[in-house]
Amino acid sequence: MVEPIAVVRQSTAVIDVSKLTRDERKCARVGAFLGVAFFVLLATWAQPWNMFAKGPFSSNFYDVQARSMVHGHMDVPSDVAQVEGFAVDGKTQLYFGVGPAIARAPFTGWTSIFDGRLTILSMTIASGVLAMATARLLKRAQAAVVGAPSGSPWWFGAIAAASIVCTLVLFTASRAVVYHEAAIWGCAAAVAGLDLVIRWWREPTRRHFVGAVALAAFAISCRTTSGSSPAIALGLFGLVLAWRREWLKSAKVVAGALIALVAYVGFNWLRFHNLVSQPYEAQVWTLLHEDRREFVESVGGNVFQLKFVPTSVAKYFSPVAVGFQRLFPFVNFGSRIAPIGGVDFGEIHQSSSVVIGAPVFSFLALIGGWWAVVRDRSHEWIVIVIASVVAFVPTLMCGFLSYRYAIDILPSILVLACPGVWLVARQSKNWKPRTRNALLVVAAVVSFFGTWTQVGLALETRAFSMLPTESDARSFVSLQNSIDRRLFENAPSNVQQLFERDDLPVEGISEGTIVILDDCSGMYHYDGDNWQVVERKPGGGRRFVITGTIDSEAKPVLQGFGWTLTARRTSDGVIFVYDASYGRHDEFGPVSLPDGPLTFEAVADQAQIATISLTLGDKKVLSDDFLAASKAQPGPGWRSDPGQAPLCESFLSRLGK
């Protein structure tokens, strides 16, 4: 049971020692800056000047949501939300928390100029918040651990930096998308909120209470799972006060917790006319995909079920959730987990675990967990531990398994690790210097492995899995090939060359496989779910640089086995028409194009979800997927200029071909 505040003050002298000193704060800020700088470099591929470059799909969700709220409604345009939208009463709603959108409102509430350009900045701020909150929480834990040494100011800088660089938060730098922004803000706001709750409990002033409630409301509005932990902690402390028959104080604290909860419930009701859940059967992705519809129907629309917990626990807490490969960065996600008990998940994405993502913190959390349950004299720490654990239970119950969801577990790991630091430090005072130094070396090596793993997973995810682009994939594979050539003479075993195929194989193909079709007509990488194009040779049969003219008579620009893409010029612009022998007919345009000879970069690739596209300079003239594009060639009268595929040809030379 939690002791009354008077006893806590008397027994631990908390008020005097639970604030960072000037030197400790300075070191914490330096550590946070270093961690943030590393995060930015990874998020921008070491090009920080691109920090405000326009991001990919979903990077503008919070911007558009902020503008909708400023204009008095919650719905967003359907062409923005696309498959992530929910069709509710003829309007499109987003399901992401509104916390980051509210923070953006002063910038994007009145203009679209910043749309999709603030995600990296937002995630960077969140990582800084997490770093400083972790340092403050470490200081508060020092006051709670009896006999804790004074420590050194640099400890607080180290833990501030490590909370970013040595945890799976670093993985979110892989791509500036709403999914990662929501996860990192939920984690950061949760840790900061729990810190403020402890501050209020130890020094219950009105200012501290209002700050704790406000941050609890913001945290749950960022992410319902991890972000709910400060509100839960307030509610638990309110129950403690009720147990001690301090009825008026208890009522005020419970009311504060409910205020934070009402903030989330209110916005959820405005969107979905439901207090806490979302109608997954009304999500556009569900409506478009039969497999998703069948899953949602099988769980009765509730994707949070206890039957998913064993598989989630086994994956998210696995100490071996990592694989190794020959190519840089030498690590990958490893094998996917098979659902325990034959349970059908909606999706099981590539995932590692919180143990691999934050190995040293996980070890310290085990020690801190023992202390919180058995040795904590004030029993206050167990309250925020329970709150942080309860908050991530829905993540374990979710029918979708993904690495970014494991970040919901991180606040509880950090909360438990902070007292663990002081317990190890207290115990190590009796060790020989050689033993202490050996422990530091082991911790540094394990931390480096964790950081290297997160960087490697982030790089591969950006290049091949999370909204990848051909240029990103090509640049990364080129780097892999360059490093591998310096280490080995022969080509890696995961490179294959296939001939006379329209499509790419999916059976018996392992994650990380690189396939070269024909004489470099196309080179592709398999991430375990999808094939990502790496390079196509111009004139090789899948990519062309074609030159010709378009007049009023419809003539083929591209054609192939059972299909044609024709173009004709009208008074309104150029109209492109796709016709297939199986009856498909699509029109594109009109598009304004100059008169005279035109040079397009044309793609007609049956291998990667059957893509057809035309690009004129920097302008994408036409692009569509799921179109038959077999055996493509330029139309009559269009000249095709041959080209090279240097990366692919380098791999072929290493294969001895």
Side-chain angles (χ1 to χ4, degrees), residues 435-517:
T435 304
R436 286 197 298 268
N437 293 337
L439 178 65
L440 288 175
V441 170
V442 170
V445 170
V446 174
S447 295
F448 177 79
F449 171 75
T451 299
W452 181 272
T453 300
Q454 297 314 294
V455 171
L457 297 180
L459 292 175
E460 291 229 331
T461 296
R462 180 185 178 104
F464 306 127
S465 303
M466 178 64 74
L467 303 174
T469 65
E470 183 176 345
S471 61
D472 283 347
R474 184 168 56 252
S475 296
F476 189 66
V477 174
S478 178
L479 174 63
Q480 289 181 311
N481 184 46
S482 176
I483 294 174
D484 193 69
R485 288 180 72 99
R486 287 174 170 81
L487 299 176
F488 307 96
E489 291 184 5
N490 62 313
S493 59
N494 65 326
V495 179
Q496 303 177 16
Q497 185 179 21
L498 303 176
F499 296 92
E500 298 182 357
R501 291 188 65 114
D502 271 339
D503 55 0
L504 290 161
V506 291
E507 298 294 334
I509 299 297
S510 60
E511 178 184 335
T513 296
I514 295 175
V515 164
I516 297 171
L517 294 181

Side-chain angles (χ1 to χ4, degrees), residues 366-379:
L366 291 175
I367 299 173
W370 167 82
W371 168 83
V373 174
V374 178
R375 293 296 180 87
D376 180 18
R377 292 185 178 181
S378 70
H379 299 294

Side-chain angles (χ1 to χ4, degrees), residues 344-361:
D344 290 328
F345 274 71
E347 288 177 285
I348 295 182
H349 294 284
Q350 296 169 315
S351 179
S352 185
S353 70
V354 68
V355 177
I356 297 297
V360 174
F361 280 111

Side-chain angles (χ1 to χ4, degrees), residues 502 541 559-563 578 604-606 612 627-633:
D502 271 339
Q559 59 188 12
F561 181 72
W563 64 273
Y578 174 86
D605 193 349
Q606 183 76 14
I612 292 182
L627 299 174
S630 177
K631 303 187 185 310
Q633 59 183 353

Side-chain angles (χ1 to χ4, degrees), residues 135-388:
R136 290 195 299 268
L137 209 57
L138 179 66
K139 185 66 175 180
R140 301 194 197 283
Q142 181 187 25
V145 174
V146 176
S150 58
S152 174
W154 70 264
W155 290 15
F156 299 91
I159 201 168
S163 66
I164 303 173
V165 176
C166 300
T167 70
L168 53 167
V169 159
L170 195 61
F171 172 76
T172 63
S174 58
R175 182 67 75 177
V177 289
V178 69
Y179 318 103
H180 293 164
E181 186 178 359
I184 191 173
W185 264 117
C187 177
V191 175
L194 291 171
D195 170 65
L196 291 190
V197 170
I198 283 290
R199 183 185 70 169
W200 158 77
W201 179 251
R202 293 177 173 180
E203 193 174 0
T205 66
R206 180 179 300 176
R207 180 172 64 88
H208 290 170
F209 180 66
V210 171
V213 171
L215 193 47
F218 176 74
I220 198 172
S221 295
C222 290
R223 187 164 175 83
T224 317
T225 46
S226 57
S228 64
S229 53
I232 295 173
L234 281 171
L236 291 176
F237 277 124
L239 295 178
V240 169
L241 292 172
W243 179 264
R244 303 199 62 81
R245 302 189 180 218
E246 298 182 48
W247 305 113
L248 183 58
K249 291 181 180 179
S250 173
K252 290 180 179 179
V253 175
V254 171
L258 291 176
I259 288 173
L261 179 62
V262 166
Y264 165 75
V265 168
F267 283 114
N268 203 72
W269 180 266
L270 290 174
R271 287 167 159 178
F272 306 112
H273 309 310
N274 188 288
L275 295 179
V276 294
S277 63
Q278 296 84 38
Y280 283 94
E281 65 278 2
Q283 189 177 21
V284 175
W285 183 268
T286 304
L287 298 174
L288 292 177
H289 294 82
E290 184 177 356
D291 290 346
R292 173 66 71 88
R293 287 199 304 274
E294 291 177 353
F295 170 73
V296 172
E297 291 172 1
S298 71
V299 295
N302 181 15
V303 301
F304 297 94
Q305 306 267 339
L306 287 174
K307 64 182 180 180
F308 300 126
V309 172
T311 304
S312 298
V313 170
K315 188 61 178 179
Y316 292 145
F317 292 96
S318 171
V320 293
V322 65
F324 299 94
Q325 63 188 30
R326 172 173 149 176
L327 291 176
F328 175 85
F330 316 117
V331 294
N332 55 44
F333 283 106
S335 60
R336 302 192 186 212
I337 189 169
I340 296 176
V343 173
D344 290 328
F345 274 71
E347 288 177 285
I348 295 182
H349 294 284
Q350 296 169 315
S351 179
S352 185
S353 70
V354 68
V355 177
I356 297 297
V360 174
F361 280 111
S362 296
F363 173 75
L364 292 171
L366 291 175
I367 299 173
W370 167 82
W371 168 83
V373 174
V374 178
R375 293 296 180 87
D376 180 18
R377 292 185 178 181
S378 70
H379 299 294
E380 62 177 8
W381 210 263
I382 194 65
V383 173
I384 62 173
V385 169
I386 292 173
S388 61

